[in-house]
Amino acid sequence: MPSQSKRYRALREKVTEDPVPLEDAIRHLKTFGTTKFIQTVEVSTNLGIDPRQSDQNVRGSVALPHGIGKNVRVAVFAQGDNAEKATAAGADIVGGDDLAAKIKGGFLDFDVALATPDMMGVVGPLGRLLGPRGLMPSPRSGTVATDITSAVREFKAGKIEFRNDKGGNVAAPVGKLNFTDAQLIENITAFLKHLQTVKPAAAKGTYLRSVTISATMSPGIRVLA
């Protein structure tokens, strides 16, 4: 584990091990905003799933009420009228075979990749490059869309994707530390509620085992689930 800074260790000593109400956790987290940049707030959850079972994997996307406080770079695989619609909706880069060739050459300067269904033949071979980075378009995550205009606008506005890791954890950005308490509460609540709706039918027992909020350079604070 990397060595922790003196600042981080000092903050860590102020955090209780016991879960606290979300409102209290946010107020406490905001006292950690002592960096020269505005930190991103993230929610981390541990789910009662078996990630080794394909029918227990969790993946999806959700539009947060107040966005995530950053400019989301959106790449779109589309052609013809759909390419024009994606550009008009605010996509940062739009293409087909040319975009695929750029990605094969190492171009990954975007946060979200969207595609229309007819472009999946072009996108499919990029799975080994985009998949490990969580950028592979998928119907389950809402990144393969027939209504490309709405998809681009939603992701530019702060719609987020999420998926579990090998440990059954799901983490997602939910805003910035300079958001109001109410904005963070609403974003986090929206994310957790949506996470509940995608609980796999095969998952047994307690689904939402733990919830922790943290900022870019702060220790985590456990929240009452």
Side-chain angles (χ1 to χ4, degrees), residues 88-163:
D92 297 273
I93 181 170
V94 180
D97 291 328
D98 55 335
L99 177 53
K102 286 185 66 174
I103 291 173
K104 289 176 182 177
F107 175 76
L108 290 167
D109 192 19
F110 51 89
D111 302 300
V112 177
L114 307 179
T116 53
D118 60 306
M119 296 300 293
M120 290 310 291
V122 174
V123 177
L126 302 175
R128 293 172 66 181
L129 295 172
L130 299 179
R133 295 172 174 81
L135 295 171
M136 186 65 181
S138 163
R140 284 185 64 190
S141 64
T143 47
V144 175
T146 53
D147 184 353
I148 199 64
T149 297
S150 295
V152 171
R153 288 175 178 169
E154 288 176 351
F155 279 97
K156 288 293 290 184
K159 188 175 187 178
I160 59 169
E161 291 182 81
F162 59 86
R163 63 189 302 178

Side-chain angles (χ1 to χ4, degrees), residues 12-86:
R12 189 72 186 87
E13 292 176 357
K14 299 179 180 179
V15 177
T16 176
E17 294 295 326
D18 298 322
V20 298
L22 178 57
E23 295 83 354
D24 294 344
I26 289 173
R27 282 195 292 269
H28 197 167
L29 188 68
K30 285 200 166 191
T31 67
F32 300 161
T34 57
T35 56
K36 294 181 179 179
F37 67 97
I38 301 173
Q39 299 178 55
T40 295
V41 177
E42 183 175 87
V43 171
S44 300
T45 62
N46 178 253
L47 304 180
I49 60 174
D50 183 352
R52 297 170 297 178
Q53 307 300 320
S54 60
D55 62 350
Q56 291 192 44
N57 277 270
V58 171
R59 183 175 184 178
S61 60
V62 58
L64 300 179
H66 305 287
I68 57 174
K70 66 171 286 187
N71 177 38
V72 180
R73 299 164 298 173
V74 176
V76 178
F77 289 91
Q79 59 188 351
D81 289 345
N82 282 326
E84 294 179 6
K85 290 177 181 178

Side-chain angles (χ1 to χ4, degrees), residues 193-206:
K193 283 184 177 179
H194 185 77
L195 194 60
Q196 292 279 12
T197 69
V198 294
K199 176 184 177 180
K204 306 301 180 183
T206 302

